[in-house]
Each structure stands twice: as structure tokens, then as C-alpha cells.
Amino acid sequence: MTPLIRRLLGACALALSLQPLAHATDTDPAEVNLDYAYYSPVSLVLKHFGWLEQTLPGTKVGWVLSQGSNRSLEYLNSGGVDFASSASLSAVLSRANGSPIKSVYVYSRAEWTALVVRKDSPLNSVTDLKGKKIAATKGTDPYMFTLRSLQQAGLKKDDVELVHLQHPDGRTALEKGDVDAWAGLDPHMAASEIQAGSRLLYRNKDFNSYGVVSVTEQFAKAHPQTIAKVLSAYEKARDWAVKHPDELARLLADESGLPLEVAKLQLSRTDLSTPLLSARDVQASKAAAPILVSEELVRRGVNVDQVIEQLIDTSFGQTLAKP
């Protein structure tokens, strides 16, 4: 190989390595769309006060309601939103199955899911669920919680009948007696406890994954400065939420249409103190990943540990401005 060819190849390699940077722009996009969700109280605060609109004065900000992680990630992957709120394990599942997304922020660390039964149910343990119907929203944290709970109890997915319903419909099915148990999600779970006397059959905080805000890789490359601004606004909303728990509960109740006591029960299980992604979160996701493989929820041959390392991006949190 001649020196000239070596220099040309070196120049090409350098150009390719800098290619993502070439796509980044110094200006914010004309429009930014985010989801908000009752399971993400901080998103409700951000939407309510309009702080993002103030942070991005030249950008049209749109809001879309997500009823669960599966809907949130569908909106992100279809281009319906640029920022999506989901459970971390649901984001892992999405990336493992081919969606090029990155998680950049933690909106909460909550015990937001459990296995729920009616107040008069004879069931007392996870093993009692063998042969029973369980309502769960496929692709969400409650669904993964259910699989992990069954596995720990020595049961397989085929030992029960999983009925795929969105979270609000799962609650209705449980209370009507159409299913024996429901993989609940707050605030619907808290509402069912208070309004229908539903009972938490099985709780396990370690089986609850944390909540993340994710973007597409394309958006991350093109608009890193916009992501930093959005997360700065999220931090302002989180700071307000931590300092005003009573007002936060009232806002959640007003937005969700649920009683104040329901909102307070949900928030009692919600930790907003640690918003930045870290190496500990990478390890926590890896600990939960085997269920995705054993239940064949990801494509055969996918290295889930590698997927998690590609998914979780801690760099944006390092540049967050104080609110």
C-alpha cells in the first residue's frame, strides 16, 4: 500500500468517525413533541407550568398522553414524539428488538407495579395463580414484573393465561371478575385499592424497573443541545415536585381525574430523588435482562447486555444545568 493510499484511507476513517458530529446543529428544531403520563408525575408538572415552552421559545412544543410504556415507545418509534416516558426494562426490550433509541434521564424510581387481586379473592400467593387468568399490558413493566414473579415462584408463562389489556382495561377486567389477577400500574392500581378494595397479592420493589425518558439515536445526534435544554426543564419540574408534595398530589389528581387520596397513595411509592442515569442502572437492567431471553421476548442471538450498554446514555445527565 502506497503512502498516498494510506493517507487517503486515514482521512476517510477520520471523516466517518466525525460523521455523527456533522449532523448536529446549533439550533433547536421547529417542533418538539413529548409524551406525558400519569405514571410520570414530573411530566405533568413540566406540561402544567409550560417551562419547556419558555426554555424553547422558538420551538412549537406538542404533548401526547401515554397510557403505558408500550404506547410511549410506539409513539417514539413512529415519530409521534421525540421524548418518551417508559419503564427502563421496556426500553431495553424495544432496543433489543431493533428500535435505535437511547435512554437519557430518570423521571422516577417508583414501586409502581404489583400483582393485584379482588378483595374477596381466595388467592394468597403467586403459586396460586397457576391455571388462572392474569391481565397484563404486553411490553410494559407490569408485564415483565409478572413474568419475573412467576419465574421466581417456579411457574412458567404457559402455566397461566395472560390476557393482554391496556392498564385501565386490566383494572376493569379484574374488578368485574373477568380475570383472576391483574398486573397493576399506578395510579390505576392505587385507585383500585382505594375505590374497589383490591388487594396487592405480591409486591417486590426489586422487580420494579425505574422510569426513563428516551429519544431516538437520530435525534440525539442531530439535537444534543435540545436534549440538554429539555432535561434542564425536567430538572426544574422535578425540583418543584420534590419541594411541593401536596401541590404535586393535587396536580396528579386533577390531571388523572382520580381522587386526591389515590394520588397520595401513588406518590407514597414514588422516589424522585435520583434523576441521573449511572453505572448502577446499567447493572440493574442487566440483572433483569435474563427474563427477556428466557421468555423469548427478544430476537434470537441478541446480546442483551450489549443492548443495555448501547441504550443507557449517562452523558446528557452530566451536563444538566441546575433549575
Side-chain angles (χ1 to χ4, degrees):
M1 185 181 296
T2 67
L4 176 60
I5 292 177
R6 278 198 295 268
R7 286 197 299 271
L8 287 173
L9 290 175
C12 289
L14 178 62
L16 287 172
S17 69
L18 295 177
Q19 189 174 13
L21 298 177
H23 291 300
T25 64
D26 294 330
T27 58
D28 298 312
E31 183 174 353
V32 169
N33 294 298
L34 304 88
D35 73 345
Y36 66 103
Y38 306 141
Y39 53 81
S40 172
V42 174
S43 70
L44 303 181
V45 175
L46 186 58
K47 177 177 178 289
H48 176 74
F49 286 106
W51 286 327
L52 185 56
E53 287 81 351
Q54 296 170 23
T55 303
L56 301 173
T59 298
K60 179 182 177 182
V61 176
W63 295 93
V64 178
L65 175 65
S66 287
Q67 294 283 8
S69 294
N70 61 327
R71 287 284 182 262
S72 173
L73 293 166
E74 285 172 11
Y75 297 148
L76 180 62
N77 292 317
S78 67
V81 299
D82 302 298
F83 294 81
S85 311
S86 77
S88 57
L89 202 54
S90 298
V92 172
L93 182 61
S94 180
R95 171 118 194 173
N97 285 318
S99 300
I101 64 173
K102 281 191 172 293
S103 296
V104 296
Y105 184 77
V106 176
Y107 62 79
S108 78
R109 300 176 187 274
E111 185 189 3
W112 52 17
T113 185
L115 290 175
V116 189
V117 294
R118 291 184 299 280
K119 62 180 179 180
D120 58 351
S121 172
L123 305 178
N124 292 305
S125 68
V126 177
T127 54
D128 292 339
L129 291 171
K130 186 172 183 178
K132 305 299 184 182
K133 291 182 179 180
I134 306 174
T137 310
K138 191 171 185 178
T140 65
D141 201 46
Y143 181 78
M144 250 71 78
F145 179 93
T146 303
L147 297 181
R148 296 180 77 185
S149 301
L150 292 172
Q151 187 180 73
Q152 179 173 270
L155 297 177
K156 299 179 180 179
K157 184 172 62 175
D158 293 341
D159 289 328
V160 302
E161 181 181 346
L162 291 174
V163 182
H164 301 297
L165 297 171
Q166 288 298 309
H167 302 302
D169 300 326
R171 174 194 172 185
T172 300
L174 175 73
E175 294 175 2
K176 288 174 59 180
D178 294 337
V179 296
D180 301 289
W182 163 51
L185 179 75
D186 275 335
H188 311 291
M189 183 168 70
S192 190
E193 287 180 82
I194 290 175
Q195 296 174 340
S198 298
R199 175 168 55 88
L200 302 188
L201 175 74
Y202 180 69
R203 299 173 68 175
N204 189 326
K205 191 171 183 179
D206 291 338
F207 284 2
N208 282 253
S209 62
Y210 50 94
V212 291
V213 175
S214 299
V215 299
T216 64
E217 281 191 342
Q218 182 180 5
F219 192 91
K221 290 177 181 178
H223 302 290
Q225 80 294 334
T226 305
I227 294 175
K229 292 176 183 177
V230 170
L231 298 191
S232 178
Y234 253 103
E235 274 295 272
K236 184 174 182 178
R238 185 189 65 85
D239 184 66
W240 182 93
V242 170
K243 293 177 178 176
H244 301 86
D246 292 337
E247 292 93 330
L248 177 63
R250 282 194 289 271
L251 175 61
L252 175 57
D254 290 343
E255 286 286 337
S256 64
L258 293 169
L260 182 59
E261 59 183 335
V262 171
K264 288 183 175 179
L265 178 56
Q266 173 184 345
L267 293 174
S268 73
R269 300 190 280 238
T270 302
D271 178 8
L272 302 177
S273 65
T274 315
L276 303 186
L277 287 159
S278 68
R280 186 180 65 179
D281 296 314
V282 174
Q283 292 307 312
S285 292
K286 286 183 178 180
I291 193 70
L292 304 180
V293 177
S294 64
E295 293 296 335
E296 299 182 342
L297 296 173
V298 298
R299 293 175 298 175
R300 191 179 299 274
V302 169
N303 185 328
V304 182
D305 283 355
Q306 186 178 67
V307 165
I308 292 169
E309 292 168 0
Q310 294 168 343
L311 169 73
I312 297 177
D313 190 331
T314 62
S315 64
F316 290 101
Q318 296 170 4
T319 61
L320 278 180
K322 292 293 182 182

